[in-house]
Amino acid sequence: MPRASRLLLSGVALAGLIAGSASAAIQNPRHHHATTTKKVSPQSKTTASRPKPSVQSGSEAVTVRAHRSGPHSAVEVINRQTLDHFVAGTSPMQVLALTTPGANFASDDAFGLDTVANTLYVRGFNQTQLGVSLDGIPMGGQGFHNWNGLGVDQMEIQENIESLTMSQGAGALDTPSAQTLGGAITFTSSDPENKAGGRISQLFGSNHGFRTFARADSGVLNASGTKFYAAYARTAQDLWKGYGDQQEQQANFKLVQPVGDRGKITAIFDYSNFEQYNYLSLTKNMWQKMGRNTTYLKPNYELAKEYATYAQNGGVPSNLEGILSNDEIGDYAYDGTQTQRNYMSAITGDFKLFPNVDSRTIAYAHVSNGDYSATNPFLTSPTSQVPMVMETGHPDVRRLGFVQNFDIQAGHHNDIKTGIWYENDRFNYPMEMYEDGVDKPHSSISNFKNGTKWWEDSFNTNTFQFYLQDTYHILPEMTVTAGFRSLLQTTHGGTSIDNSSTLSDWGVYYSHPASGSLTAANAFLPHFNFDYHFLNQHEVYFDIAENMRAYDYGAQSGSGNAWGGLGNSNNSAQSVFNANQKTLRPERTWNYVVGYRFNSHFFSGSADFYHTDYYNRLAGITSGSTGNTYSAFMNVGHETMNGADVAGTIRPFSGLAITNSFSWNNATYENSRLPYNGSYISIKGNHQVYYPKFMYKANVTYTWKRATFNFNTTYTSARYMTYTNDEKIPAYWTSNLTATYDFGKIGFVQNFQTSFGVTNLFNQDYIGGVYGAASVSGDDNANLFVAAPRQFFGTVSAKF
């Protein structure tokens, strides 16, 4: 049967079902910096930006929704209790990875809040390939320079997150996402308390670490059940190496208004302001030869100018001959910062339309802007003639959208869910240049009024998704779920202004201007799941789905997207883009998961095996002949992934839980040939970059009377950092320890607690996060971030 016919029949069946429900109701009263433009040697400024070979609840009278609160099928659940086992304010993504098999998270700061260095992988898929939502609101990809969403650390204060679920299978049909290739992460925020009160906590830690959290709950205010809370958090810490600090401010507001016994209306407003000095991204050689403390050159301005001179003219300082290459001297920079401001609001209506039909309607708006700055040692300040320029991107994002979901109980055996999602995303990115002075550089975090515009990119994206699924209860504990989603996304835009031709005195080079539209569409992306609970303690399940990921877009100074960093002055970005319009196809995956879970009072265990076929894998690479290389974006072949996760928790006596897990992943490229040095090389059989083949995790939690202790350790095997697998990021161990004591009620304070935590307990020196494209071969890209050393944190908290 053709896809169009299947869609039509599904729509007719749905309409008939809702009509039948209405009738029943009448009868019976849900880089380091991409702003750092690619660098060039003086010889190549006229032809290319020195491309490197790379790829890249309860007053409500009705509960509208119910869901399992623990692990089930191919879904893992992280609850509030688990989040509280870690240092206050730790990124939920970091907690997820430390407690969940198959998940890997790395960063360069103890909290895991550095938006540049954060790297999350789940069973081979990174954070930009997972579906993410907060209370049903789509949050897009979780990576740096997030044009289509908002990272969890900026969208919700950690203490206000009630739980998060990780669908490690083939994703979730009801997750509004255009990025899903693998699993889906769903965050649920806590509701306001019924009783008036509040919470406060204060953290102190290494490197002048300081974090304040406060929340006030109104309690139920009137007979209708109105209640709300307002919360604020501020996190600040000096960089553990180099100059500067990282500061994050967040505010959350949530109001719940019951509407009789029919449902409720929820309104939220979230604000965040992240102002961060960055850590310098390094090559492997820079880390090994110069040490873990290697970072930006600030405040040594004279040394920065000297390095920039070498970067533009060749050679290296005499004391670094044979240690660093000229390329690596150019990887050093004086400064790098970013400021990110986000405002997000949403209104959600949860209602029981009919006895068997629940509805959830979400209308949301998200505005984001900021300043992403980095010193560019390959440009020249025209007045001072200093061989450096402060280069700043000023992103402006506006997202407007709505989600409509229905949950329909059809008889005793069928639970039908369906819904639509629409979003309009407008993104604007002007790149401004600011002169550095002879004796003083331009500030990287202020005074952005008199810049010189180099170029500006603008995009407009419309996304529509429909899904329909039916869960059939064969037996009380046996279900089969089948459904599909349809996804359509169209992006128009690209370079709207390019002033390169008038800026020769700045030493500008080819800026890669390209514009046009691309559409990703698939009317039928199926999902099938079987889940059987038997003999009280056992569960078996399998999960199959096809997924598609829409095209990435971003500023032309980046790479790894259809509009970014294309071409050179001899083979224009526009011509490359025009050719791609005819040949590019969206990335697709088929994911298969089969698993078993056992649960008893004494022991819980699970085992999963998964397989993925990855088609139309897209990447930014260097193409062309030896004499005319240029940056391209193309299909680089097929990938196959096989993996397994095994986990077990033993509870030998009350208060003690010991968890061990082991993960294996063998992700290899198939039939993949990459352009390299004017020819092609095969990477068939080579392992996927950046994801470890083996991981081992151990967690020990012990509660004795009012005290709780938690120790966790993780082994991460070596990660390949090139497509030819000739270079590896070394394996490492990392461990954390947290102890908490609850003094209980003291005077008017309901709960008074103290906690002490140590991160990177054994002070391991290892590469954590990775940002940017992988090289085809060699230690060529400065995209590695060193993890934070051992740090200490103490927290005092109280509940009123």
Side-chain angles (χ1 to χ4, degrees):
M1 182 182 292
R3 286 185 176 180
S5 299
R6 291 197 296 264
L7 288 171
L8 180 59
L9 288 176
S10 300
V12 171
L14 176 61
L17 192 57
I18 294 177
S21 302
S23 175
I26 292 172
Q27 296 173 15
N28 300 285
R30 175 160 114 80
H31 150 101
H32 53 85
H33 250 287
T35 57
T36 304
T37 306
K38 290 187 174 183
K39 43 193 186 181
V40 296
S41 63
Q43 293 81 9
S44 61
K45 283 184 181 179
T46 59
T47 59
S49 56
R50 195 165 63 88
K52 294 184 177 183
S54 59
V55 186
Q56 266 224 28
S57 137
S59 64
E60 295 88 333
V62 58
T63 300
V64 177
R65 291 177 178 268
H67 60 276
R68 295 180 185 269
S69 58
H72 57 280
S73 193
V75 176
E76 295 291 335
V77 178
I78 307 298
N79 57 26
R80 184 66 248 173
Q81 184 180 23
T82 301
L83 290 168
D84 287 339
H85 287 162
F86 296 83
V87 171
T90 298
S91 170
M93 295 299 198
Q94 185 158 280
V95 176
L96 173 70
L98 291 173
T99 58
T100 306
N104 172 259
F105 179 91
S107 186
D108 57 10
D109 74 299
F111 292 103
L113 299 180
D114 191 319
T115 56
V116 181
N118 287 0
T119 306
L120 173 71
Y121 278 86
V122 177
R123 292 182 174 175
F125 296 102
N126 67 42
Q127 65 260 46
T128 69
Q129 300 170 324
L130 304 172
V132 179
S133 67
L134 169 69
D135 296 335
I137 305 166
M139 288 300 157
Q142 296 293 289
F144 181 56
H145 277 200
N146 191 351
W147 314 134
N148 54 16
L150 183 59
V152 58
D153 301 310
Q154 295 172 289
M155 68 187 178
E156 193 75 18
I157 299 173
Q158 201 257 37
E159 286 88 343
N160 292 332
I161 295 175
E162 185 67 23
S163 66
L164 66 99
T165 63
M166 175 69 227
S167 171
Q168 291 186 284
L173 289 180
D174 58 349
T175 299
S177 169
Q179 286 76 49
T180 306
L181 281 178
I185 304 176
T186 301
F187 294 92
T188 302
S189 65
S190 60
D191 273 356
E193 302 284 350
N194 290 328
K195 184 179 179 180
R199 296 179 238 163
I200 60 171
S201 73
Q202 182 63 59
L203 173 146
F204 301 93
S206 299
N207 303 107
H208 301 98
F210 187 91
R211 184 179 189 273
T212 303
F213 167 74
R215 167 170 160 167
D217 283 80
S218 69
V220 176
L221 296 173
N222 50 43
S224 68
T226 305
K227 56 183 180 180
F228 68 86
Y229 69 73
Y232 171 79
R234 177 181 179 270
T235 304
Q237 186 179 32
D238 289 347
L239 298 184
W240 59 268
K241 61 178 179 179
Y243 177 93
D245 59 5
Q246 295 192 333
Q247 299 190 40
E248 296 88 30
Q249 297 189 69
Q250 298 170 272
N252 296 163
F253 174 83
K254 187 173 186 179
L255 180 146
V256 176
Q257 177 60 63
V259 182
D261 62 355
R262 305 293 291 183
K264 64 180 181 179
I265 295 174
T266 304
I268 67 165
F269 175 75
D270 294 335
Y271 163 79
S272 65
N273 187 323
F274 276 35
E275 188 174 282
Q276 301 177 328
Y277 282 84
N278 297 133
Y279 295 97
L280 183 67
S281 56
L282 311 175
T283 64
K284 181 180 174 182
N285 180 66
M286 292 168 69
W287 168 54
Q288 293 175 329
K289 298 289 180 62
M290 306 303 290
R292 78 194 306 183
N293 289 327
T294 302
T295 191
Y296 283 98
L297 299 173
K298 189 174 185 177
N300 194 334
Y301 191 48
E302 292 304 315
L303 183 62
K305 291 192 290 184
E306 177 188 346
Y307 275 34
T309 300
Y310 278 109
Q312 293 194 20
N313 297 288
V316 300
S318 58
N319 62 313
L320 294 175
E321 289 181 359
I323 299 174
L324 297 180
S325 67
N326 174 255
D327 274 3
E328 289 171 321
I329 293 297
D331 289 328
Y332 277 90
Y334 178 71
D335 199 7
T337 65
Q338 88 249 8
T339 299
Q340 298 168 282
R341 296 172 288 268
N342 290 279
Y343 311 81
M344 187 178 71
S345 58
I347 297 178
T348 300
D350 287 293
F351 292 99
K352 183 169 285 294
L353 301 182
F354 307 103
N356 65 328
V357 180
D358 294 336
S359 168
R360 165 169 279 195
T361 305
I362 306 171
Y364 64 91
H366 169 213
V367 174
S368 176
N369 57 59
D371 309 299
Y372 296 171
S373 300
T375 302
N376 188 333
F378 292 91
L379 295 176
T380 300
S381 297
T383 302
S384 66
Q385 288 300 297
V386 169
M388 299 189 308
V389 169
M390 178 54 65
E391 193 179 60
T392 305
H394 301 285
D396 180 20
V397 179
R398 185 215 63 185
R399 292 193 304 141
L400 298 171
F402 72 88
V403 180
Q404 176 62 61
N405 291 323
F406 295 100
D407 189 340
I408 306 162
Q409 299 296 321
H412 298 289
H413 297 285
N414 296 82
D415 180 3
I416 297 175
K417 297 179 184 292
T418 187
I420 61 172
W421 165 48
Y422 170 75
E423 179 178 288
N424 175 258
D425 186 353
R426 185 197 67 192
F427 161 58
N428 193 57
Y429 194 100
M431 176 60 74
E432 302 277 346
M433 298 182 294
Y434 302 88
E435 286 202 58
D436 284 329
V438 174
D439 301 313
K440 183 179 180 180
H442 189 281
S443 171
S444 63
I445 59 173
S446 62
N447 190 22
F448 297 122
K449 294 183 179 180
N450 299 305
T452 298
K453 182 176 291 186
W454 185 357
W455 47 261
E456 183 170 345
D457 290 349
S458 300
F459 293 87
N460 193 284
T461 300
N462 289 286
T463 306
F464 176 83
Q465 175 180 285
F466 167 81
Y467 81 94
L468 174 65
Q469 72 175 35
D470 180 14
T471 299
Y472 180 71
H473 297 262
I474 303 171
L475 297 172
E477 296 298 328
M478 180 186 293
T479 61
V480 174
T481 301
F484 73 96
R485 68 186 180 115
S486 302
L487 178 63
L488 172 66
Q489 184 179 93
T490 298
T491 299
H492 303 273
T495 303
S496 55
I497 297 174
D498 181 18
N499 293 323
S500 297
S501 62
T502 63
L503 298 172
S504 59
D505 53 340
W506 291 78
V508 300
Y509 35 83
Y510 189 69
S511 61
H512 309 281
S515 61
S517 65
L518 285 174
T519 296
N522 198 313
F524 190 75
L525 295 166
H527 188 179
F528 182 82
N529 175 270
F530 172 82
D531 191 13
Y532 179 36
H533 295 254
F534 61 99
L535 300 178
N536 296 322
Q537 297 171 326
H538 304 265
E539 179 187 10
V540 293
Y541 51 86
F542 60 86
D543 205 66
I544 304 171
E546 181 185 12
N547 288 319
M548 181 191 74
R549 186 172 187 267
Y551 297 110
D552 277 345
Y553 56 95
Q556 58 167 280
S557 55
S559 62
N561 71 82
W563 287 265
L566 302 176
N568 60 26
S569 57
N570 295 321
N571 191 9
S572 74
Q574 190 64 57
S575 65
V576 176
F577 181 87
N578 292 343
N580 285 348
Q581 282 182 307
K582 304 173 184 177
T583 60
L584 288 184
R585 297 294 181 270
E587 296 176 310
R588 289 189 306 113
T589 58
W590 274 98
N591 298 293
Y592 310 84
V593 180
V594 58
Y596 166 78
R597 183 177 286 112
F598 173 84
N599 189 47
S600 72
H601 177 75
F602 177 77
F603 176 77
S604 297
S606 64
D608 278 10
F609 174 80
Y610 58 92
H611 172 84
T612 296
D613 289 313
Y614 195 147
Y615 303 96
N616 300 329
R617 188 176 179 89
L618 299 174
I621 64 173
T622 300
S623 187
S625 62
T626 303
N628 184 33
T629 60
Y630 61 91
S631 298
F633 185 72
M634 62 177 63
N635 185 326
V636 295
H638 172 55
E639 182 180 343
T640 298
M641 181 161 52
N642 293 294
D645 295 326
V646 180
T649 299
I650 186 172
R651 293 172 283 271
F653 53 83
S654 178
L656 177 63
I658 304 172
T659 301
N660 286 269
S661 70
F662 178 79
S663 299
W664 164 75
N665 177 282
N666 186 40
T668 58
Y669 303 107
E670 306 291 339
N671 303 319
S672 298
R673 297 174 69 244
L674 302 183
Y676 186 59
N677 284 340
S679 183
Y680 284 85
I681 61 173
S682 173
I683 60 171
K684 182 177 181 179
N686 290 353
H687 197 270
Q688 175 179 309
V689 298
Y690 297 152
Y691 190 70
K693 192 169 185 177
F694 302 105
M695 287 187 290
Y696 167 76
K697 302 175 185 180
N699 279 268
V700 180
T701 302
Y702 178 56
T703 300
W704 181 73
K705 294 183 179 181
R706 295 178 179 272
T708 299
F709 304 89
N710 177 259
F711 169 79
N712 66 78
T713 188
T714 300
Y715 169 76
T716 303
S717 71
R719 294 166 286 173
Y720 288 108
M721 52 186 282
T722 67
Y723 286 89
T724 58
N725 288 180
D726 64 335
E727 290 283 352
K728 293 180 180 180
I729 301 171
Y732 65 90
W733 284 88
T734 187
S735 307
N736 304 284
L737 178 66
T738 307
T740 302
Y741 190 82
D742 188 348
F743 291 89
K745 185 176 181 179
I746 301 178
F748 65 93
V749 177
Q750 298 300 311
N751 291 95
F752 181 75
Q753 288 187 346
T754 60
S755 68
F756 176 73
V758 186
T759 58
N760 195 357
L761 181 63
F762 301 109
N763 198 28
Q764 298 296 296
D765 180 4
Y766 65 93
I767 294 297
V770 180
Y771 175 75
S775 298
V776 172
S777 179
D779 181 20
D780 193 44
N781 286 355
N783 55 6
L784 310 179
F785 291 87
V786 183
R790 178 170 54 229
Q791 296 189 335
F792 303 88
F793 301 93
T795 305
V796 178
S797 62
K799 184 177 181 180
F800 304 93

